[in-house]
Every structure is written in structure tokens, then in C-alpha cells.
Amino acid sequence: MLYCQDMSGCPTWEVIQHLQTCTSLKGQSLLLRVLLKREGPNFITDEGTIVDRLERLCRKAGDMKYWSVVRLTASLCGKLVDSLAPSITNVLVRGKQVTLGVFGHEEEVISNPLSPGEIKNIVYSKCMPHDEREAVLQQEMIIYIGNIISTTPELFDGILKIRAGWFIQAMKNELKASSEGNQQDIHGLSPSAIKQLLLTVLTQKREDWLHRRQLDGALGRTPKDFYDKVWQILERSPAGFTVSGFHLPQQPTLSDMTLSEMNFALLVERMLGRIAQPEYRQIMVEMLMVLSTILYRNPELEFQGCVELDKLVQESFQYFQQDQSQSHGQEKQDDMTAFFNTPAGVQHGTTSYLAKAAVNRLLQGNVNIDQNEPCTVS
């Protein structure tokens, strides 16, 4: 039904004419979407108003388990899933935040309980401009996350901010990795399959390092005591550091906040939230953990000037490429996929390259090193 997707430029009478003869549920939903956007919900056709037809189509698609059409038509009708507000509150009372919005686009943070109407305004305003089906899928996700966090909260350990769009991206990555060339559209999965897929990404430990980083990065999972360690790095970085253009200054951060307070962890998450690629976010988390270890073992060192963490990651990647070129004869390239797919704590693993870049940066400038306490990395 490709023609159904190309009707937005056709006159209304022609769209209606196609609607009268269209037999596929998907085609009908796409044609009704064109009419809804152009003429509004109360525009009358031979079989009732646009919104009436969408409601009937939504029920019919549900009976036939055509879930992609169900999600599209439910979204076009502006439906709100029951118990959404309590599910969000369920997450908030466990010390976490929720964000709504499509992966790669603007998100809105929810840090306090909201009314159903307020939640509806957020989810529809953030999702509808990009993919209408996502407005309903994200509501389903919040319900499932609320249920799971109530029964098995440990699955969310290390995840401070639950970003619905990024969780869906993690699930898409899982579908791609397990599809063997026949990838399913996540919007076409049944509600029970969506919940099972969510459980899979929360529990599965992949041996494939690229996929592991994509999942952990999309879920926003961090190691134990991660935020405390970022604080300790900041204590040794008088000019602060930057990630993707976000500057985290040493002052007034250290004087206005405390090591263990939630506001500092959320500030770090805001910084990491500037990163667009899940696997790159996870490498950045690893970079910060490496920096913490080096600084802990070498108390005489501190950074001189503002630390550009993206530049350190790029330098790590360059060291990796040099080794690849020497050992495998591979030409240098901009694509970091091979780096992302490299194990961490092994010989010639990502940790060694991240550490090399970090030590080189630390030793720049005027650094006084106690000769009785040699610099150690491992």
C-alpha cells in the first residue's frame, strides 16, 4: 500500500476516494491520518467523522492483533493508558527520574508526580512530531517499567534516569542483534512481547561488546559508586571538564553540592545526556572510571586546564587504530565500531587505550610528582 503513504499531497476528495476502496488496515490508518491532519477530527466522511473511523479501526486492528495499526490509531485518537500516573510515581519513589521523548530528539524530564493530563501533554508533544506510534508505545513502556521496578527493583541498579525513548532504542538494538537478518518492527510487537523484550534487555548479558555497550548506554546503566568517582575526578580538575560541549566546572559545583547528594548525580546525567550515541556514552563512562582509578592511585597528580573528555576518547581511538594498523595492516578510518566492539580489561583492550590517553593528558603542564611515590596505572 505504498500509494497510501504518498497521499499527503493529493486533494481531499482523492484521499477519500482511495479510502473508500482501500482494504488494508494499514492503508486505511495512513489515509485517515492524512485527513485528520488536514481536515481535523470532526470532518465527516460517508462512514462518519474521522475520529469515529479511527476509533473503529483501532478496535478492529486490536481484534486482529495488528499492533502497529493499533498504536498508530490509538495515538491519532489521543488515547491515554490507564494507571500511567501511578506507574511514573512508582519509579520516582525509588529515587529515579523518567524522561519522555523519542530517541535522538528532545526529551522532557519528569522528577515529580504529575496528573494524567500533564503526562498526556508531555508524551504527545514530544513523540507525535517524530513517530505517532511512539506516543502509545512509550505509555506501555512506563506501565511495564512501573510493574517491573515494583517486583524486581534490582534490575534497575545503576540506572538513575529512565529515558523511555532510549529504552526503546535498546530494545530495537536487541531485536536487530537477535533477528539474523529478519528484523521485526518493534511497533508491530504484541504488548506481551514488548514487556518480554524489555525484560530481556534489562537482564541479558551479551558477549558481543558492541551490543553490550549499546544496551548499557541506552539504558543509562553505570558502575557501582560511579557518581562518587566523578566527584573525585572533579576534585582534581580545577578547571573542570567537558563532554559533548557540556562544561562541568569544579566551582561552584563542589561548594554548592555534596558528594552523595542526588543533585550532583543528576548533573552528571545531564552532562552524559548530551551524548547522542549509546555505545559512545558507555565508552565515556569507562573513560571516567579509568580516570578515577589513575587519580586514586596517584594522589600527587591533577589535571591542568579544562579536560576535554571527548578529545581523550578520540586519542584513545587513535592509539587503537595505530595498533590495528601495525598488527593487522588495517587502514585508519573514522568509524569507531571496531573500537566499541573491543573488550575492556584485556591486553589491547579499550581500558589500556583510555588509560594511555588519560596519563598523557595528566602529565601535560607543570605537574609535581613525588619521586618516592611513582606514578602507577595498573
Side-chain angles (χ1 to χ4, degrees):
M1 302 299 297
L2 286 177
Y3 70 89
C4 293
Q5 300 179 40
D6 300 327
M7 296 298 293
S8 56
C10 297
T12 297
W13 66 265
E14 190 174 341
V15 179
I16 293 173
Q17 191 175 62
H18 278 287
L19 184 59
Q20 290 169 339
T21 59
C22 182
T23 57
S24 87
L25 299 189
K26 180 179 179 181
Q28 291 174 34
S29 69
L30 294 172
L31 290 167
L32 286 169
R33 178 176 66 175
V34 172
L35 291 173
L36 176 69
K37 290 184 175 181
R38 184 182 301 172
E39 306 293 347
N42 298 317
F43 181 76
I44 299 176
T45 70
D46 58 331
E47 295 184 27
T49 65
I50 299 298
V51 71
D52 287 341
R53 294 190 66 160
L54 283 168
E55 292 274 6
R56 290 199 301 273
L57 184 57
C58 185
R59 289 193 294 271
K60 185 176 182 180
D63 291 339
M64 298 179 67
K65 303 188 187 312
Y66 199 155
W67 300 112
S68 181
V69 173
V70 169
R71 292 184 175 103
L72 175 59
T73 51
S75 176
L76 294 174
C77 291
K79 291 187 178 295
L80 192 69
V81 177
D82 291 337
S83 303
L84 195 60
S87 293
I88 286 181
T89 301
N90 237 355
V91 175
L92 298 178
V93 297
R94 284 165 175 79
K96 302 182 186 297
Q97 289 189 338
V98 175
T99 73
L100 298 174
V102 176
F103 175 79
H105 298 281
E106 185 183 6
E107 302 165 89
E108 182 148 341
V109 178
I110 300 176
S111 54
N112 297 296
L114 298 177
S115 69
E118 290 171 318
I119 297 169
K120 179 179 179 178
N121 288 339
I122 293 172
V123 72
Y124 275 93
S125 65
K126 297 302 177 188
C127 296
M128 289 294 277
H130 309 293
D131 188 334
E132 291 99 336
R133 298 170 300 176
E134 194 103 351
V136 170
L137 181 58
Q138 292 205 11
Q139 293 181 59
E140 296 175 62
M141 288 287 294
I142 295 302
I143 295 293
Y144 301 145
I145 289 168
N147 290 338
I148 295 168
I149 205 170
S150 295
T151 56
T152 47
E154 65 274 10
L155 293 183
F156 296 86
D157 286 351
I159 303 174
L160 179 62
K161 187 176 286 188
I162 294 173
R163 305 167 74 182
W166 280 60
F167 267 53
I168 290 171
Q169 183 63 27
M171 293 159 69
K172 288 179 179 178
N173 287 337
E174 177 61 28
L175 278 179
K176 183 178 180 180
S178 58
S179 65
E180 297 181 354
N182 187 28
Q183 186 178 351
Q184 292 178 277
D185 177 11
I186 194 171
H187 300 99
L189 297 180
S190 70
S192 60
I194 291 289
K195 185 174 183 180
Q196 184 55 52
L197 183 58
L198 172 60
L199 281 167
T200 298
V201 299
L202 285 169
T203 57
Q204 189 163 4
K205 296 297 182 184
R206 285 260 176 185
E207 293 182 9
D208 178 326
W209 277 84
L210 172 62
H211 188 60
R212 182 189 298 193
R213 288 186 173 110
Q214 286 175 334
L215 286 185
D216 285 342
L219 295 175
R221 187 172 275 145
T222 58
K224 190 175 186 299
D225 300 325
F226 172 71
Y227 304 107
D228 291 355
K229 291 177 179 178
V230 176
W231 176 278
Q232 289 156 7
I233 297 169
L234 196 57
E235 288 181 318
R236 311 273 285 280
S237 308
F241 45 80
T242 62
V243 172
S244 297
F246 185 102
H247 179 227
L248 184 63
Q250 186 189 70
Q251 295 297 343
T253 307
L254 298 185
S255 55
D256 288 354
M257 298 180 179
T258 59
L259 170 64
S260 57
E261 76 172 80
M262 177 68 74
N263 283 339
F264 178 71
L266 292 172
L267 181 60
V268 173
E269 279 298 322
R270 269 184 60 201
M271 176 183 74
L272 294 175
R274 297 289 289 270
I275 299 172
Q277 193 178 12
E279 53 268 44
Y280 185 82
R281 175 200 155 101
Q282 203 58 23
I283 283 287
M284 185 61 71
V285 168
E286 293 174 34
M287 177 85 251
L288 288 163
M289 294 297 289
V290 167
L291 284 174
S292 169
T293 300
I294 294 172
L295 290 171
Y296 176 77
R297 293 175 179 174
N298 299 277
E300 74 286 353
L301 297 181
E302 71 172 23
F303 283 109
Q304 305 295 305
C306 182
V307 187
E308 298 177 59
L309 293 177
D310 295 290
K311 186 176 289 187
L312 292 188
V313 172
Q314 285 301 317
E315 288 174 7
S316 306
F317 176 52
Q318 289 169 12
Y319 294 138
F320 169 78
Q321 286 188 307
Q322 288 170 9
D323 279 359
Q324 293 294 301
S325 176
Q326 291 171 6
S327 59
H328 303 295
Q330 296 179 359
E331 293 185 8
K332 292 184 179 180
Q333 52 187 356
D334 294 333
D335 186 2
M336 297 180 70
T337 302
F339 185 61
F340 294 142
N341 199 29
T342 300
V346 298
Q347 187 177 16
H348 300 299
T350 53
T351 301
S352 63
Y353 299 112
L354 295 171
K356 184 176 181 180
V359 169
N360 284 348
R361 177 64 179 81
L362 272 165
L363 297 181
Q364 290 175 4
N366 298 318
V367 182
N368 296 319
I369 302 177
D370 185 347
Q371 299 301 316
N372 297 318
E373 190 174 355
C375 176
T376 59
V377 176
S378 57

